């Protein structure tokens, strides 16, 4: 089969969605499929099929879109800058995908709600569409608006309602939605109103052989003598909660000093976090290592993995820590409680609770804390764990079987349901956004309308 993997987010990129797409592409090609990768360019100025060298600049599309979608012709779209920003971005992807041509693909597999909604409206009617949920844009944006009351967005605002509506329409326009855990599935059902039968759950896989090779290769960086190493691989952005980790480490420092923390990654908050480290007198205890091309090698030097995220789905970093046998100290955010067995494979502390998290970290660091788990014990944990229910190759085989079953259903079912569902007035939500253009065919604009953790960052940058 010829398969298109697509995302609204930038590719290539240092992050979980890009890693997932790369691994899936490689494995699907080993199974004999042909795979293309579509997404935003690293500067967000173009939509491109990165492995084909095809691209279309947004500056060629935006003048026409901004002219047609003005406050008179599309008042709903122009109710708030957040709605306008993401709708124009989504329309750019629609037009670029139509320009590149989607009729060549046997199946389209999207990696977020934005690309699902976009490609679902311009793809051929009989081409199956599978969507993968790697997080909750709606929840992230709600947190963003709550934490920034100056934006003037609350539960009654169109911008607040836009993101759950987007996720609902995306899920309803795909033939199957895949969630990595029950947390994601429950959000789609309770927050967005997506029916249970449209969502399936299976966890990510991890390529154990590739991980083991990097782990064995090691790193020239050496742990300080007499200290335990706490490691936190994460992008330095708000949603990853590194600022919460630093507050927690300040609490831990009051209890004991026989530890150091390695923060692996980079991002827009690095300067702010380094200043926070100095203010908390942690500059001799916390080290910012920046981007690193062999995180498994660093894990081999560490004792404890820490993840204080504010929202996350099923992070690869936790999976890698478990593969390395590290006890994981994580927050209650997102899908993390499904990944860690408290008191066995790690410890769980409340989200935002830096005091409790610090005390939990002390339990892990202390003499009676959780020991590192041997490689043979990891194999036993993987056999019982939700996280390690499949490895990378098996994961690709399972997704490939999913593709085949969808194609069979489509051939039996005839015309594609979602090709016409959004022209039905019952599915137009005027409380969210008024239809901007009438359409008689899927090639024209019609109807309404983050790694999801990038959504709020993108909105800030756009402002």
């Amino acid at each position: 089969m010829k398969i298109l993997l697509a995302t609204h987010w930038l590719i290539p990129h240092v992050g979980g969605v890009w890693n997932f797409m790369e691994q899936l592409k490689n494995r699907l090609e080993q199974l004999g499929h042909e795979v293309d990768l579509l997404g935003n360019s690293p500067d967000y100025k173009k939509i491109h099929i990165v492995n084909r060298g095809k691209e279309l600049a947004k500056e060629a599309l935006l003048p026409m879109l901004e002219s047609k979608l003005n406050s008179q012709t599309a008042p709903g779209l122009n109710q708030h800058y957040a709605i306008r920003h993401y709708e124009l971005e989504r329309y750019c992807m629609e037009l670029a995908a139509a320009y590149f041509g989607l009729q060549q693909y046997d199946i389209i597999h999207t990696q977020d709600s934005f690309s699902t909604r976009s490609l679902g409206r311009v793809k051929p009617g009989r081409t199956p569409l599978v969507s993968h949920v790697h997080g909750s844009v709606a929840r992230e944006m709600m947190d963003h608006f709550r934490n920034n009351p100056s934006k003037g967005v609350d539960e009654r605002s169109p911008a607040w309602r836009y993101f759950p509506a987007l996720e609902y329409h995306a899920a309803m326009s795909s033939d199957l939605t895949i969630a990595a855990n029950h947390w994601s599935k429950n959000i789609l059902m309770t927050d967005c109103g997506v029916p249970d039968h449209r969502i399936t759950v299976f966890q990510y896989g991890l390529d154990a052989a590739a991980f083991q090779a990097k782990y064995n290769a090691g790193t020239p960086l050496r742990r300080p003598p007499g200290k335990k190493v706490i490691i936190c691989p994460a992008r330095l952005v708000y949603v990853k909660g590194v600022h919460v980790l630093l507050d927690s480490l300040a609490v831990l420092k009051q209890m004991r000093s026989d530890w150091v923390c390695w923060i692996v990654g980079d991002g827009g908050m690095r300067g702010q976090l380094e200043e926070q480290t100095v203010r908390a007198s942690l500059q001799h205890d916390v080290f910012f290592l920046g981007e690193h091309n062999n995180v498994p090698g660093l894990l081999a030097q560490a004792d404890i993995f820490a993840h204080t995220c504010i929202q996350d789905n099923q992070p690869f970093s936790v999976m890698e820590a478990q593969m390395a046998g590290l006890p994981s100290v994580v927050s209650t955010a997102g899908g993390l409680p499904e990944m860690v067995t408290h008191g066995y494979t790690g410890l769980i502390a409340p989200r935002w609770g830096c005091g409790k998290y610090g005390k939990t970290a002390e339990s892990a660091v202390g003499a009676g804390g959780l020991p590192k788990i041997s490689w043979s014990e990891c194999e036993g944990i993987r056999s019982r764990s939700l996280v390690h229910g499949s490895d990378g190759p098996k994961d690709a085989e399972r997704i490939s079987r999913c593709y085949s079953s969808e194609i069979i259903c489509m051939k039996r079912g005839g015309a594609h349901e979602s090709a016409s569902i959004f022209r039905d007035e019952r599915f137009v939500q005027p409380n969210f956004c008024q239809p901007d253009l009438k359409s008689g065919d899927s090639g024209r604009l019609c109807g309404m309308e983050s790694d999801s953790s990038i959504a709020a960052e993108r909105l800030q940058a756009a402002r």
Side-chain angles (χ1 to χ4, degrees):
M1 291 188 291
K2 188 168 185 180
I3 300 162
L4 178 66
L5 303 181
T7 181
H8 166 80
W9 309 119
L10 58 86
I11 58 173
H13 179 58
V14 178
V17 173
W18 170 245
N19 291 341
F20 175 82
M21 291 174 71
E22 269 197 312
Q23 287 185 20
L24 183 57
K25 178 181 188 295
N26 292 338
R27 295 300 178 183
L28 288 171
E29 288 175 341
Q30 289 175 15
L31 294 172
H33 303 297
E34 184 179 353
V35 183
D36 286 344
L37 302 172
L38 181 144
N40 265 282
S41 63
D43 59 5
Y44 276 107
K45 292 183 178 179
K46 296 175 289 191
I47 304 294
H48 63 164
I49 299 179
V50 66
N51 59 305
R52 298 286 181 191
K54 294 182 177 181
E55 61 183 41
L56 182 60
K58 294 179 187 177
E59 64 181 13
L61 305 173
L62 285 171
M64 180 273 289
L65 289 171
E66 290 169 345
S67 172
K68 288 184 176 293
L69 303 176
N70 56 56
S71 57
Q72 286 74 42
T73 60
L77 181 145
N78 288 279
Q79 291 178 89
H80 191 272
Y81 73 87
I83 299 175
R84 178 177 174 79
H85 169 74
Y86 280 112
E87 283 297 282
L88 290 177
E89 286 287 309
R90 204 180 51 69
Y91 282 135
C92 283
M93 175 162 281
E94 278 188 20
L95 293 173
Y99 172 75
F100 295 142
L102 298 179
Q103 65 278 0
Q104 60 187 299
Y105 298 105
D106 298 300
I107 197 155
I108 298 170
H109 185 174
T110 52
Q111 309 300 317
D112 56 82
S113 297
F114 297 105
S115 59
T116 302
R117 182 70 173 123
S118 294
L119 272 59
R121 289 167 22 111
V122 295
K123 72 179 185 63
R126 294 179 64 90
T127 302
L129 174 61
V130 174
S131 64
H132 221 121
V133 177
H134 298 290
S136 173
V137 172
R139 283 285 178 96
E140 187 211 339
M141 294 307 299
M142 288 173 187
D143 282 345
H144 172 70
F145 292 136
R146 285 192 190 100
N147 295 328
N148 294 274
S150 62
K151 306 289 184 186
V153 177
D154 58 26
E155 289 86 346
R156 297 165 296 177
S157 304
W160 184 283
R161 299 195 301 269
Y162 168 77
F163 294 97
L166 172 76
E167 295 199 324
Y168 168 81
H169 284 286
M172 295 301 288
S173 65
S174 65
D175 298 291
L176 178 68
T177 297
I178 301 172
N181 48 44
H182 292 281
W183 171 78
S184 292
K185 178 176 180 177
N186 289 339
I187 286 178
L188 285 172
M189 291 169 58
T190 58
D191 290 11
C192 308
V194 180
D196 175 274
H197 69 273
R198 298 189 72 98
I199 313 166
T200 188
V201 175
F202 61 75
Q203 293 74 32
Y204 301 132
L206 193 64
D207 190 331
F211 176 88
Q212 184 73 59
K214 288 188 173 183
Y215 184 89
N216 291 339
T219 173
L221 186 64
R222 287 293 173 260
R223 53 185 295 137
K227 301 259 186 176
K228 288 194 174 180
V229 175
I230 301 168
I231 190 168
C232 174
R235 285 185 300 114
L236 304 186
V237 296
Y238 178 82
V239 77
K240 293 301 182 183
V242 180
H243 58 293
V244 179
L245 174 62
L246 293 177
D247 286 340
S248 303
L249 292 176
V251 174
L252 178 62
K253 183 69 179 289
Q254 297 172 9
M255 303 178 190
R256 59 193 312 131
S257 58
D258 56 342
W259 56 270
V260 295
C261 179
W262 292 349
I263 296 176
V264 186
D266 217 331
M269 284 187 66
R270 178 164 180 166
Q272 180 181 335
L273 293 169
E274 288 175 332
E275 291 174 4
Q276 181 182 352
T277 300
V278 173
R279 288 196 305 271
S281 300
L282 294 172
Q283 64 268 32
H284 302 301
D285 308 289
V286 176
F287 301 91
F288 291 84
L289 305 186
E291 297 289 357
H292 203 282
N293 60 8
N294 187 3
V295 173
L298 292 174
L299 292 172
Q301 293 287 317
D303 299 285
I304 298 160
F305 170 86
H307 196 58
T308 50
C309 67
I310 295 166
Q311 179 183 294
D312 219 327
N313 187 34
Q314 186 191 311
F316 277 87
S317 58
V318 178
M319 296 165 65
E320 289 185 329
Q322 292 178 328
M323 289 287 281
L326 297 185
S328 301
V329 183
V330 302
S331 72
T332 54
L336 288 170
E338 295 180 46
M339 302 179 74
V340 175
T341 302
H342 186 74
Y344 179 47
T345 60
L347 299 171
I348 304 173
R351 184 177 82 146
W352 293 112
C354 61
K356 291 183 178 178
Y357 195 96
K359 293 175 182 177
T360 303
E362 198 277 336
S363 299
V365 172
L370 291 170
K372 290 187 73 171
I373 304 165
S374 69
W375 190 260
S376 60
E377 288 177 308
C378 284
E379 291 294 333
I381 291 170
R382 282 195 293 277
S383 69
R384 298 186 296 275
S385 172
L386 279 173
V387 177
H388 298 297
S390 64
D391 60 20
K394 291 179 182 177
D395 207 33
E397 291 174 10
R398 181 163 50 171
I399 290 174
S400 183
R401 288 196 297 272
C402 168
Y403 293 165
S404 298
S405 65
E406 282 301 307
I407 287 176
I408 291 170
C409 289
M410 291 303 300
K411 287 182 178 178
R412 288 177 178 170
H416 183 34
E417 177 188 11
S418 69
S420 60
I421 193 170
F422 293 103
R423 301 192 191 107
D424 189 327
E425 291 182 357
R426 293 173 298 166
F427 293 93
V428 175
Q429 303 289 326
N431 289 332
F432 298 115
C433 186
Q434 293 293 334
D436 42 75
L437 291 175
K438 301 295 182 182
S439 172
D441 64 88
S442 60
R444 294 171 59 194
L445 303 178
C446 65
M448 167 211 149
E449 325 189 324
S450 211
D451 190 280
S452 69
S453 66
I454 309 173
E457 299 168 50
R458 286 286 299 133
L459 195 57
Q460 291 284 72
R463 292 288 286 168

